[in-house]
């Protein structure tokens, strides 16, 4: 080797060494984490469902694969947030007033800076449709200095800056608690609130400008907003499914499907293994249903005599939730069968129990299915096939330990996307719903802009 070549190689080695040293020092001094992340195949999502681990260490956006990044400690601001949300200051009777909260004179919202002081939502089955409660808490906290939460959505005070207009109505709770007429009332409180809400929105310039298409209206309970649906059908609706809606009012093109808030306790990182789940398949709930739910009766007759299948009637009464929680934890598969509507909270109870869901509901719609592949952690069986003699039993017995454990591990990874929490955590249900709303914004803007092409000419003419 010539002295010239040796000298050139030494010089090249010196330059590369200096460059690496500068990069390392600059990353250490910035301590930002996001800008100095090196690719590493060992950075895998934890398989635990202990969501507290994600507060300081992990975040996720769009799809829970294997790569993660550290959460920034910087406060969220309008320029960083994916979604800018204007929330109407409706009177408390539409929201926290239903929880017994009474603020000071002219106070619309409770102080959420101390999570322990936040008004509590009613328990029991009320919780399964409490979605708007968690979303509102998240928005109210989004502008509190020093409040740590994801920077997916942020509340804006100026409606001109908004991507979406949120309508803060506890519609599901209103249905559950105020649907009956009392005393000398001519209409129920639930119907009165819906009428007032429609009147309020129809008089808002924000609604008229886009025809309501850029408004986000919660209606998660299948029977909520019955009187207002037609008037508010142009808005983006927050729903559990489309079972009781005509296509022109509710559809995947404009609406968002949100998970039920699970009723059973999450198993967390204490998830029983294959051997620790002696029950092959589990179902406990209402068996005799109408409409699409007739399939439950037929499946009951087919499966009731199978020794390792638990298929019985059950309710929330007499420790029903506690028994269901234990039953799901002891089962390899949990049956999610269509009832009066295509969906139920049973699917999400199964997910947080790490019991592989078997979905027998041909019309079901699933939350964030554009970014989650449910076939990785669920078994889908059509209603027709499920009613074939011993078909379902053969399918489930044919899934061996290795295949089951693959789905079980995936369940442990995705379960956090179905947890509602306050403060919100990156990748939890609140954060995922805001992400789903954000992915609808482009289509909404396109629709509004196309419809606005000739408005100016019509006015001038």
């Amino acid at each position: 080797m010539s002295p010239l070549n040796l000298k050139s190689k030494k010089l090249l080695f010196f330059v590369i060494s200096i460059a690496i040293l500068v990069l390392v020092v600059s990353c250490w001094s910035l301590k930002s984490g996001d800008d100095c992340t090196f690719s590493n195949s060992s950075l895998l999502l934890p398989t635990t469902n202990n969501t507290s681990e994600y507060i300081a260490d992990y975040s996720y956006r769009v799809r829970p694969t294997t790569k993660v990044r550290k959460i920034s400690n910087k406060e969220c601001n309008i320029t960083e947030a994916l979604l800018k949300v204007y929330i109407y200051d409706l009177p408390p009777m539409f929201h926290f007033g239903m929880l017994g909260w009474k603020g000071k004179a002219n106070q619309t919202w409770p102080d959420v800076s101390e999570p322990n002081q936040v008004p509590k939502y009613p328990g029991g089955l009320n919780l399964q449709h409490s979605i708007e409660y968690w979303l509102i808490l998240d928005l109210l906290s989004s502008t509190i200095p020093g409040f740590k939460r994801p920077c997916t959505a942020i509340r804006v005070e100026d409606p001109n800056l908004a991507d979406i207009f949120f309508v803060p109505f506890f519609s599901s709770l209103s249905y559950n608690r105020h649907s009956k007429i009392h005393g000398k009332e001519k209409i129920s409180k639930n119907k009165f609130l819906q009428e007032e809400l429609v009147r309020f929105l129809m008089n808002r310039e924000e609604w008229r400008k886009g025809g309501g298409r850029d408004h986000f209206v919660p209606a998660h309970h299948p029977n909520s907003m019955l009187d207002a649906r037609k008037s508010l059908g142009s808005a983006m609706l927050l729903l559990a499914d489309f079972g009781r809606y005509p296509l022109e009012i509710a559809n995947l093109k404009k609406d968002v499907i949100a998970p039920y808030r699970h009723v059973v306790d999450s198993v967390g990182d204490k998830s029983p293994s294959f051997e620790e789940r002696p029950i092959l398949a589990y179902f406990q709930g209402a068996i005799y249903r109408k409409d699409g739910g007739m399939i439950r009766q037929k499946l009951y007759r087919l499966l009731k005599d199978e020794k390792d299948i638990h298929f019985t009637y059950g309710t929330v009464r007499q420790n029903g939730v506690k028994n269901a929680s234990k039953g799901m934890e002891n089962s390899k598969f949990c049956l999610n069968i269509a009832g009066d509507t295509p969906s139920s909270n049973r699917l999400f109870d199964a997910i947080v129990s790490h019991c592989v869901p078997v979905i027998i509901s041909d019309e079901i719609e699933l939350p964030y299915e554009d970014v989650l592949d449910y076939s990785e952690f669920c078994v889908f069986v059509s209603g027709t096939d499920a009613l074939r003699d011993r078909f379902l039993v053969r399918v489930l017995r044919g899934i061996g330990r290795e295949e089951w454990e693959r789905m079980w591990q995936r369940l442990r990874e995705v379960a956090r996307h179905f947890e509602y929490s306050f403060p919100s955590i990156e990748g939890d249900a609140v954060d995922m719903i805001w992400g789903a709303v954000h992915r609808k914004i482009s289509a909404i803007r396109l629709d509004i802009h196309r419809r606005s092409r000739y408005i100016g000419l019509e006015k001038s003419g």
Side-chain angles (χ1 to χ4, degrees):
M1 181 180 295
S2 68
L4 182 58
N5 288 340
L6 182 60
K7 189 174 182 179
S8 299
K9 288 189 175 183
K10 286 183 178 180
L11 179 60
L12 179 60
F13 177 77
F14 177 76
V15 171
I16 292 174
S17 300
I18 292 297
I20 293 174
L21 180 62
V22 170
L23 178 61
V24 172
V25 171
S26 62
C27 286
W28 177 84
S29 61
L30 287 171
K31 294 182 179 179
S32 65
D34 287 348
D35 298 324
C36 300
T37 302
F38 297 93
S39 176
N40 188 338
S41 59
S42 67
L43 293 177
L44 302 178
L45 273 174
T47 56
T48 177
N49 190 40
N50 184 354
T51 52
S52 62
E53 294 182 8
Y54 294 90
I55 297 177
D57 297 321
Y58 297 98
S59 73
Y60 154 79
R61 195 175 305 284
V62 181
R63 177 173 171 78
T65 51
T66 55
K67 293 184 180 180
V68 298
R69 65 178 179 83
K70 290 186 177 180
I71 295 176
S72 173
N73 289 324
K74 296 185 296 183
E75 293 179 16
C76 184
N77 58 57
I78 293 177
T79 59
E80 292 181 334
L82 284 179
L83 189 67
K84 295 180 279 295
V85 185
Y86 181 86
I87 181 170
Y88 286 113
D89 288 325
L90 290 173
M93 67 176 179
F94 285 95
H95 41 82
F96 287 96
M98 293 189 203
L99 309 184
W101 175 78
K102 295 180 180 179
K104 299 177 183 178
N106 299 319
Q107 183 180 358
T108 302
W109 305 107
D111 179 6
V112 300
S113 58
E114 293 293 336
N116 293 333
Q117 303 300 318
V118 171
K120 293 183 178 180
Y121 200 87
L125 291 180
N126 286 299
L127 273 176
Q128 62 181 333
H129 297 296
S130 60
I131 290 62
E132 54 265 35
Y133 169 78
W134 304 99
L135 295 177
I136 293 172
L137 289 180
D138 187 58
L139 285 179
L140 296 179
S141 67
S142 66
T143 55
I144 297 175
F147 202 94
K148 292 183 179 180
R149 54 174 293 283
C151 196
T152 305
I154 191 170
R155 181 188 182 188
V156 294
E157 300 289 346
D158 183 354
N160 294 312
L161 298 176
D163 298 312
I164 199 82
F165 295 85
F166 188 85
V167 181
F169 178 35
F170 287 178
S171 59
S172 297
L173 189 60
S174 179
Y175 170 77
N176 282 333
R177 290 195 160 184
H178 303 302
S179 292
K180 295 181 180 180
I181 297 176
H182 299 283
K184 296 181 179 181
E185 293 176 345
K186 294 183 178 180
I187 62 173
S188 68
K189 184 178 179 181
N190 179 44
K191 186 173 183 178
F192 167 78
L193 288 173
Q194 291 180 63
E195 290 178 352
E196 289 297 304
L197 181 64
V198 171
R199 187 176 295 111
F200 169 83
L201 290 172
M202 296 302 115
N203 288 323
R204 294 289 301 202
E205 177 61 28
E206 293 86 0
W207 179 277
R208 293 196 295 264
K209 184 178 179 180
R213 293 172 184 81
D214 52 1
H215 281 58
F216 190 32
V217 179
H220 198 260
H221 192 291
N223 292 329
S224 63
M225 301 292 280
L226 282 172
D227 298 291
R229 287 179 182 180
K230 189 173 182 180
S231 299
L232 305 183
S234 60
M236 181 191 300
L237 302 177
L238 179 70
L239 304 171
D241 57 51
F242 301 137
R244 294 179 181 172
Y245 285 84
L247 184 63
E248 63 271 16
I249 290 180
N251 54 76
L252 276 179
K253 180 180 178 181
K254 71 177 185 67
D255 300 318
V256 171
I257 299 296
Y260 290 65
R261 198 279 193 184
H262 61 83
V263 177
V264 304
D265 293 332
S266 302
V267 297
D269 57 355
K270 298 179 181 179
S271 182
S273 64
F274 185 85
E275 291 80 7
E276 295 171 321
R277 296 174 182 258
I279 301 172
L280 176 66
Y282 183 90
F283 177 90
Q284 184 161 308
I287 294 176
Y288 300 98
R289 311 302 288 176
K290 56 187 178 182
D291 301 327
M294 294 288 289
I295 190 174
R296 291 187 183 182
Q297 298 172 232
K298 298 176 182 178
L299 279 173
Y300 170 71
R301 298 190 190 102
L302 288 173
L303 301 175
K304 62 184 177 68
D305 295 326
E306 297 290 335
K307 292 183 180 180
D308 55 353
I309 293 180
H310 177 96
F311 200 123
T312 63
Y313 172 81
T315 68
V316 296
R317 299 175 182 176
Q318 299 179 339
N319 294 320
V321 173
K322 185 177 181 181
N323 292 335
S325 181
K326 184 177 180 180
M328 288 184 168
E329 290 178 24
N330 289 328
S331 302
K332 296 178 178 68
F333 299 96
C334 286
L335 304 180
N336 182 74
I337 311 167
D340 293 342
T341 58
S343 67
S344 74
N345 71 321
R346 189 172 288 104
L347 169 61
F348 308 101
D349 285 345
I351 289 174
V352 300
S353 300
H354 301 167
C355 177
V356 175
V358 179
I359 298 177
I360 309 171
S361 181
D362 297 344
E363 303 300 322
I364 197 170
E365 298 295 346
L366 299 167
Y368 1 107
E369 197 171 9
D370 56 334
V371 295
L372 275 185
D373 182 357
Y374 281 76
S375 67
E376 294 178 347
F377 53 90
C378 295
V379 177
F380 289 85
V381 179
S382 71
T384 301
D385 285 340
L387 294 178
R388 290 164 54 190
D389 187 37
R390 297 195 62 78
F391 179 89
L392 185 60
V393 174
R394 288 197 299 271
V395 168
L396 298 184
R397 295 198 195 285
I399 297 175
R401 174 177 174 173
E402 183 177 348
E403 185 177 358
W404 182 89
E405 286 185 342
R406 176 182 57 77
M407 291 187 284
W408 174 64
Q409 289 288 1
R410 188 69 179 127
L411 271 176
R412 297 177 72 185
E413 293 172 359
V414 304
R416 66 190 184 104
H417 304 312
F418 303 91
E419 297 281 1
Y420 289 92
S421 53
F422 179 70
S424 177
I425 302 168
E426 294 241 10
D428 72 356
V430 173
D431 195 34
M432 294 289 283
I433 291 171
W434 288 133
V437 173
H438 175 257
R439 294 191 292 276
K440 301 280 187 182
I441 295 300
S442 179
I444 290 173
R445 286 177 179 158
L446 175 61
D447 190 25
I448 292 175
H449 293 169
R450 286 176 62 86
R451 292 172 184 269
S452 300
R453 289 176 177 178
Y454 304 108
I455 289 178
L457 294 176
E458 292 170 0
K459 289 181 179 179
S460 62

